[in-house]
Structure formats: structure tokens, C-alpha cells
């Protein structure tokens, strides 16, 4: 499944730079992609609500299988849309001579060239580290809800919905913060906020507070880092790819986004194993 996903997501992400005319437009495209990504997670999480709603009429297994089939058919239709309707290499002029010279360069050679970009190498190492707490947040929410907050598992969906909606509301503010302080400083502030959110999560259940207060505080603390770190790393990957294209005349968009995705998958795999 991971391999098939790579065949789709790597060229899909590479097209971001081809569609965007400048850095600002690239950021806005990524914001919209982040919105749809969160909506996808939100739709997926409705399975808890669906099981709860129909548990008296069907077995949980039947509801689960039917829901997955419906999700898969919807996903197939949506994933075909960019393949059918988005023009490849749109709006981007590149040095065709330099590009042709790179046609026979192997995938791993191209990836090594990207790895040799010092700034980007540091960036993807941080990307790897970031996906540890990020994946823990997604995978362990049911545990936080059931074991630590002592709530029904349906609240897992409520938490993810609340964090997603709160993050959307912060996007215009993040856009302004990036204009004023730059992507790097905004990302640093998000990492500090993520540390605070994880410290709070680690102490849930250790003090006597109303459950709904813990629920609300958990959502509030996670909204900002989720919003920032859901869009700016992708935008910075695009910035690095564009900077390299301007220097070399060769578009390595797929390699830049591919290396980022590879580091993400390592982080996700290790965290899931743990």
C-alpha cells in the first residue's frame, strides 16, 4: 500500500511547483491541500460515528466493511480528478537543454543530488523527527479518549474534528504571520507549541480536572502546531526545489518531494512499530 501511495503522491506533490506562479501562491495551494487532507481524515473518522449509529441493526464488522468500500469508491473518483484535469508542466519555463541532459540520470543519483543540498538535508532530518509525535497524536487519540479521559470512543472523532476545524480557522492568521516573520520563525514557534501540547498530553489523568476541560485544552494546545506543521514543511520543500531549479535549470520537484515523503514514511513506520 505504501509503495502504491508513493507512485501517486510523489508526482502529485511535484505538480504543486508547476501550478504555482510564485512562493505565495505555492503556500496557498498547500493550504488548500492541507484542508482536503484534514477533511479526508475527518471523513475517515466518521466510521466511529457510523458504527455507533447502526450497531443495533448490523454487526460492527459489516458496518466497517461497508464503510471502507464506500470510502474506497469515493477516493478512487477524487484521486482520478488531478490525473484527468490538471495539466502537467503547466505555467513553468525550464532550461530544456539542462533538463534533457538529466534524462538518463538514475533515480538514486538524482535523490543523492537532493540529499547533498545541505539546507534541505537538515530540513528532512527534522521532518523525520517531527513525524514521531505527529503519528503518535493520530494513532493514540483513541487511547487518550478511552483510557485517560474515560470517554466513549466516539469522542476520538470529535477531537480530530475540533482540531481540524480549529486549524482551518488559524490559516488566515498563519498567512499573516508568515508575511511578517517568515516561514522559519513561524515553524519554530509551532515546534515550541507542539512541545507544550505533548507535555500536557503526557500528564493527562495525573490531576483532578473536569473531563470536558481536559478535552477542550487538549484541542486548543494542538490546533496551532497542527495548522502550521501541516502546511509550512510542504511549502518549504517547494521553496527549496524552486531555488535549486533556478540555480541549475533542472526541475527536481519529484526528488525533493519524494525525499520528504520517504523521511515521513520512515518516521510513521517506526512510530507505528513502537
Amino acid at each position: 500500500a505504501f509503495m502504491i501511495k508513493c507512485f501517486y503522491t510523489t508526482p502529485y506533490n511535484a505538480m504543486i511547483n508547476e501550478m504555482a506562479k510564485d512562493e505565495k501562491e505555492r503556500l496557498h495551494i498547500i493550504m488548500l491541500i492541507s484542508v482536503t487532507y484534514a477533511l479526508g481524515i475527518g471523513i475517515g473518522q466518521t466510521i466511529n460515528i457510523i458504527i455507533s449509529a447502526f450497531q443495533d441493526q448490523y454487526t460492527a464488522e459489516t458496518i466497517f466493511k461497508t464503510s471502507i468500500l464506500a470510502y474506497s469508491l469515493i477516493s478512487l473518483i477524487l484521486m482520478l480528478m488531478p490525473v484527468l484535469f490538471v495539466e502537467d508542466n503547466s505555467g513553468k519555463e525550464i532550461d530544456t537543454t539542462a533538463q534533457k541532459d538529466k534524462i538518463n540520470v538514475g533515480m538514486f543519483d538524482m535523490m543523492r543530488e537532493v540529499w547533498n543540498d545541505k539546507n534541505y538535508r537538515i530540513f528532512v532530518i527534522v521532518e523525520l523527527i517531527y513525524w514521531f509525535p505527529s503519528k503518535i497524536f493520530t494513532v493514540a487519540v483513541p487511547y487518550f479518549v478511552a483510557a485517560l479521559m474515560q470517554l466513549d470512543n466516539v469522542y476520538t472523532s470529535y477531537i480530530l474534528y475540533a482540531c481540524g476545524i480549529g486549524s482551518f480557522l488559524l490559516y488566515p492568521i498563519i498567512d499573516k504571520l508568515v508575511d511578517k516573520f517568515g516561514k522559519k520563525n513561524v515553524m519554530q514557534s509551532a515546534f515550541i507549541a507542539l512541545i507544550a501540547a505533548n507535555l500536557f498530553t503526557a500528564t493527562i489523568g495525573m490531576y483532578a480536572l473536569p473531563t470536558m476541560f481536559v478535552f477542550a485544552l487538549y484541542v486548543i494546545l494542538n490546533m496551532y502546531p497542527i495548522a502550521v506543521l501541516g502546511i509550512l514543511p510542504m511549502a518549504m520543500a517547494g521553496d527549496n526545489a524552486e531555488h535549486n531549479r533556478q540555480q541549475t535549470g533542472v526541475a527536481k520537484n519529484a526528488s525533493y518531494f519524494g525525499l520528504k515523503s520517504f523521511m515521513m514514511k520512515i518516521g510513521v513506520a517506526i512510530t507505528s512499530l513502537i
Side-chain angles (χ1 to χ4, degrees):
F2 257 155
M3 288 182 64
I4 295 171
K5 185 180 177 183
C6 285
F7 282 124
Y8 184 89
T9 57
T10 300
Y12 176 87
N13 290 332
M15 293 177 78
I16 294 171
N17 278 29
E18 297 174 3
M19 291 187 295
K21 297 181 179 66
D22 52 39
E23 183 178 331
K24 189 73 171 177
E25 190 172 89
R26 183 160 53 245
L27 177 62
H28 289 164
I29 289 173
I30 291 167
M31 281 184 173
L32 291 174
I33 291 174
S34 181
V35 169
T36 58
Y37 176 78
L39 287 173
I41 292 177
I43 293 170
Q45 286 299 318
T46 58
I47 197 163
N48 292 313
I49 299 173
I50 293 170
I51 290 174
S52 179
F54 293 98
Q55 61 184 353
D56 295 333
Q57 298 170 290
Y58 305 98
T59 64
E61 182 181 359
T62 300
I63 300 170
F64 181 81
K65 288 181 177 179
T66 305
S67 299
I68 293 300
L69 176 60
Y71 293 158
S72 299
L73 292 174
I74 294 170
S75 298
L76 175 63
I77 295 169
L78 295 178
M79 291 174 71
L80 280 172
M81 291 179 68
V83 177
L84 296 174
F85 300 115
V86 177
E87 183 184 353
D88 200 5
N89 294 317
S90 60
K92 189 69 75 173
E93 294 180 2
I94 59 176
D95 185 339
T96 54
T97 303
Q99 194 73 22
K100 286 177 182 177
D101 290 341
K102 287 291 181 181
I103 288 176
N104 294 321
V105 174
M107 176 182 68
F108 293 105
D109 291 331
M110 187 73 83
M111 200 71 79
R112 185 165 54 249
E113 287 185 26
V114 173
W115 179 257
N116 288 334
D117 182 336
K118 181 182 177 183
N119 287 330
Y120 198 65
R121 183 167 65 247
I122 295 171
F123 172 81
V124 292
I125 290 171
V126 173
E127 175 83 356
L128 170 65
I129 297 169
Y130 160 69
W131 277 100
F132 293 155
S134 177
K135 186 63 178 177
I136 287 172
F137 169 79
T138 304
V139 172
V141 167
Y143 172 76
F144 301 152
V145 168
L148 301 183
M149 297 183 190
Q150 301 292 308
L151 295 171
D152 187 273
N153 201 47
V154 73
Y155 280 87
T156 298
S157 300
Y158 297 158
I159 281 181
L160 293 174
Y161 290 152
C163 288
I165 293 169
S167 298
F168 297 161
L169 297 176
L170 290 175
Y171 279 7
I173 298 173
I174 294 170
D175 199 20
K176 299 292 184 184
L177 291 174
V178 168
D179 287 341
K180 186 171 183 179
F181 300 107
K183 294 187 184 75
K184 183 177 178 180
N185 289 329
V186 175
M187 277 191 65
Q188 287 174 339
S189 69
F191 277 124
I192 292 171
L194 184 64
I195 290 171
N198 285 336
L199 287 173
F200 171 75
T201 302
T203 60
I204 290 176
M206 295 176 62
Y207 30 71
L209 289 172
T211 302
M212 286 298 107
F213 176 80
V214 175
F215 179 100
L217 190 56
Y218 181 84
V219 170
I220 291 169
L221 288 173
N222 279 285
M223 285 191 322
Y224 179 71
I226 287 174
V228 172
L229 299 171
I231 54 178
L232 290 194
M234 185 70 78
M236 293 180 75
D239 293 346
N240 275 270
E242 177 60 19
H243 177 69
N244 182 268
R245 186 195 70 82
Q246 291 175 357
Q247 284 187 323
T248 64
V250 179
K252 305 188 187 79
N253 298 338
S255 296
Y256 271 88
F257 284 106
L259 182 57
K260 179 184 181 300
S261 297
F262 177 69
M263 298 300 265
M264 177 199 76
K265 286 175 173 58
I266 292 177
V268 168
I270 294 173
T271 307
S272 299
L273 179 63
I274 294 172

